[in-house]
Amino acid sequence: MADNGNAVELRGVVKRFDDFVALRRADLDVPEGSFVTFLGPSGCGKTTTLRMIAGLLDPSEGDILVKGRRINDVPIHRRNLGLVFQNYALFPHKSIFDNVAFGLKYRRVSRSEVTRRVREALALVRLPDVEERLPIQLSGGQQQRIALARAIVFEPDVLLLDEPLSALDANLREEMRIELKRIQRELGIATIFVTHDQSEALAMSDKVVVMNHGVIEQEGTPEAVYNEPATAFVADFLGHSNILPARVRGREGDYYRVALEDTGMEILTAAGNAGPLETGAPVRLVLRAERLRLGDGHEHRDGDTLLNARVDTVDYQGQLARYFLSVAGMQLQAINAIDRRPFAEGATVQVRVRGDDCVILHGHGD
Amino acid sequence: MKDTGLGWSTIRLATIVVCLFMFAPVAVVMLLSFNSSQFGSFPMEGLSLRWFVELWHNDAIVRAFQTSLVLGALTSMISTTIGVLASMAMVRYDFPGKRLVSTALVAPILVPEVVLAVALLLFLQFLSVPKSFPLLLAGHVIFTLPFVVLVVQARLVGIRREYEDAARSLGANPLQTFREVTLPLMLPAVLAGMLFSFTISFDDITGTLFWKPGGVETVPTQIFAMLRNSISPEINALGTVMVLITVALPLTGAALARRLAARMRGR
């Protein structure tokens, strides 16, 4: 089979558990050397997909290819994939050295070569002096590094990471995030990372695959999925968005003029990727909470819409504040950096909506 | 908590009484086994190991001991092997009729032993198979198996599957995974199961009386036979030896298992 530069390919993969469909017909490419993240809430099918690639589950339909080779019928122990679990799963009865060396044992590697490669892997994860210890003697973060070393020491075709940072506390998680990305780059190994944490997904990935209810909602670069959500779910799941039903009033150059259904208020919106829309067509307007600028009097610029709003509630977060606003009976939320002091509850503010920040989704949804 | 008050002294008293009631008879037997007198009763006339020596020279008892040891060892080996495999099937795999098999595996504890004993005997008669040592062994395996299954299953449920998944993803086939990961992780339970089945087999009299072929005696049936004639102080000595075996063995085993577990935790 021709090598098309993909480390992993899914071709029409479906997974059913009895009546429940965990994954609906997924097609996906994981390019060689890239870092791809499956992002979604629990039960969205991301872990199921990973487990099928790993060989821990069998797909109900479709083909899974690794390096152009169909591996549906290859048992897990012959797939040559590095797997890292949320709970590390280091063998508690084996020393760190034996844990890391485990994969080499089944690959006909000479003893001196085993020692060399284990040391190399431990150096890569920056834990060179723990060979003799048992897993229990290491901290959670250290154990996860060892789990990573164990998964890469035999040079697998693909690295599969199942929520590897979720069991760590916040500071450690950020540190490990950077560390993980460094190691992945250094090795240039194709990596699939499963998480429900959007900041992990956005920070680490070359490509984010957003999943929900067994469906791939959108895939693209972190910037693309964040700035140009293809569905309401993506807009809502990544960050905080206001999703407002509206109708198209007409086209004005690169903008559509749309009227909000609730209030009849008109907002100028960048046409972007929305494609041709007829006047009167139902749409949804996505306004990112952090793109709404609050002020007590903005100068007007082309393509901007100014709304008068009242602050209902303030969720103070130190450097940021999340405001819940009512605009003529309609509820909006906005996240703004705090300039010394947040707006008070009950205050009247002006909200600036920039047309270039708006995204139009077709239809009114379900 | 303060240890004053009527309530606490009552509880303490009750505890002491219960313990006395349970262990005093055993203590008496052990004490009397060192009595030099011909009659196994108080007052003791002097200390002597005479009855242990006589025990050693009593061919019937020595033979019964050998039978019991061989029977117990074989029972525990077979029971543990089957029990470990059955537990793996119950906990790690899905198959039709799993519930039924699970109940059937544990049922021998629930059925009164006499019923089980008679049932097996009648079944063998129906098949016109004569009683033999292998059949006695089979009987013992049947009613020690539930204990092994219960202990090993409980442990296996607590071993997260990820360890095995990890081993297989690293290239170990199912057999290698079992040997390298699953078995070492459940070793304490496996040892406990072995000890259980050994002591239960070594101790058993009900089933053994029904199943043993003529001329074969285990230690309990031998004692039973001796009691029918007279109460010889030899029996006290034999009792002492049995207590030592059935108590010392599990204790040693438990200590061993604890040390193993501690090593696993890294102490």
Side-chain angles (χ1 to χ4, degrees), chain B residues 94-173:
Chain B
D94 258 324
F95 53 90
K98 181 166 157 176
R99 280 246 182 102
L100 194 72
V101 176
S102 168
T103 315
L105 273 175
V106 191
I109 310 192
L110 307 172
V111 178
E113 206 183 326
V114 188
V115 178
L116 197 71
V118 173
L120 186 60
L121 200 59
L122 290 178
F123 184 58
L124 293 180
Q125 253 166 20
F126 171 73
L127 294 176
S128 346
V129 177
K131 291 203 241 179
S132 65
F133 184 80
L135 287 171
L136 176 61
L137 179 59
H140 276 216
V141 168
I142 289 172
F143 73 77
T144 51
L145 188 56
F147 293 95
V148 179
V149 169
L150 287 177
V151 174
V152 175
Q153 242 183 27
R155 170 79 188 155
L156 196 53
V157 165
I159 298 174
R160 277 187 291 113
R161 224 175 213 184
E162 266 123 67
Y163 294 126
E164 287 147 309
D165 290 347
R168 291 208 291 142
S169 78
L170 293 168
N173 67 29

Side-chain angles (χ1 to χ4, degrees), chain A residues 78 105 111 166 234 270-271 293 331 334 338:
Chain A
R78 300 223 189 87
K105 200 149 80 174
R111 187 166 297 185
S166 318
V234 177
R293 287 266 159 271
Q331 306 300 314
I338 293 166

